[in-house]
Amino acid sequence: MRNTRTLTRRAVLAAVSVTTALTLTACGNDSGDGGSGHASASSSSAASADATAAAHNAQDMAFAQGMIPHHQQALEMAKLAADRASSAQVKDLASRIEKAQDPEIKTMTGWLTSWGEESMPGMDHSGGSAMPGMMDGSDMGELEKASGKDFDTMFLTMMIEHHKGAVAMATTEKAKGEYGPATSLADAIITAQTTEITEMNKLLGKN
């Protein structure tokens, strides 16, 4: 009887020891997996942020910093059409330019913020600009004074040159930029503004 009880007690103790060992092992594995999972996610997130920051080059930065004031001037010109243009087609075109370019300004400003860069200071147009297609203070002053058909002709002529400048800047971005969203926007600008140049030439009777 004594031997039987001793064997039974040893069997129970062995079972308890095995159960305890398995439980500790399981806890250790859970903790290990959870810890490595969080660490892996954290590392992945940091790597992703680093990749985003490193995904752009100097050309991407120059494109955003240049195109923002370029677009802003186009918006200034387009807003004048509301009460100065005589042609409904010119007013419609100006409205479409506003709707397209205002969101693009916000997008590019967001890129610069994420890159830790600043936008160029606002353009006063007083001395012109090195950027292609930009109007100087005299051009803008003449446009502001014009109205009716004179405004229509001046607006279309100036906006064609302005669009050509934007297309040139966007073409450079497509060729030399590295940031995917920027080169995609550049492609969209080329497509949209080339189409609008054709439209404006037709309105001027050039096509």
Side-chain angles (χ1 to χ4, degrees):
M1 289 295 292
R2 181 179 298 173
N3 287 339
T4 299
R5 283 198 296 271
T6 299
L7 290 173
T8 300
R9 187 170 62 184
R10 286 177 180 175
V12 171
L13 289 174
V16 170
S17 296
V18 170
T19 301
T20 302
L22 288 173
T23 301
L24 289 173
T25 300
C27 290
N29 286 341
D30 286 345
S31 176
D33 289 346
S36 63
H38 289 304
S40 179
S42 177
S43 298
S44 176
S45 177
S48 177
D50 290 341
T52 299
H56 72 285
N57 61 10
Q59 167 56 39
D60 297 317
M61 186 175 70
F63 172 70
Q65 288 182 323
M67 194 62 81
I68 288 170
H70 203 276
H71 271 19
Q72 286 172 337
Q73 188 179 68
L75 294 185
E76 288 179 33
M77 295 165 66
K79 288 175 182 177
L80 293 174
D83 57 4
R84 289 175 172 80
S86 63
S87 167
Q89 291 169 301
V90 169
K91 290 183 178 181
D92 176 64
L93 172 65
S95 177
R96 282 185 276 125
I97 288 172
E98 284 190 69
K99 289 177 181 176
Q101 296 194 23
D102 188 53
E104 290 174 352
I105 290 172
K106 291 181 173 65
T107 295
M108 291 183 285
T109 300
W111 295 341
L112 292 176
T113 299
S114 70
W115 297 338
E117 302 290 346
E118 295 182 356
S119 300
M120 290 176 66
M123 307 293 291
D124 62 7
H125 318 303
S126 58
S129 170
M131 286 183 290
M134 287 288 283
M135 302 297 119
D136 62 19
S138 175
D139 295 326
M140 293 299 291
E142 289 183 20
L143 187 63
E144 288 173 2
K145 293 175 184 176
S147 62
K149 291 184 179 180
D150 288 341
F151 177 89
D152 295 344
T153 300
M154 192 178 297
F155 173 83
L156 293 170
T157 302
M158 290 171 62
M159 191 62 80
I160 287 171
E161 291 307 308
H162 204 272
H163 272 26
K164 285 180 179 178
V167 169
M169 294 165 67
T171 299
T172 299
E173 170 60 20
K174 278 192 67 179
K176 300 180 180 180
E178 289 184 2
Y179 188 57
T183 56
S184 294
L185 176 59
D187 188 55
I189 288 172
I190 292 170
T191 300
Q193 298 203 18
T194 298
T195 299
E196 289 174 351
I197 289 171
T198 299
E199 178 183 352
M200 289 187 284
N201 275 322
K202 287 181 179 178
L203 291 174
L204 285 172
K206 293 185 178 182
N207 282 352

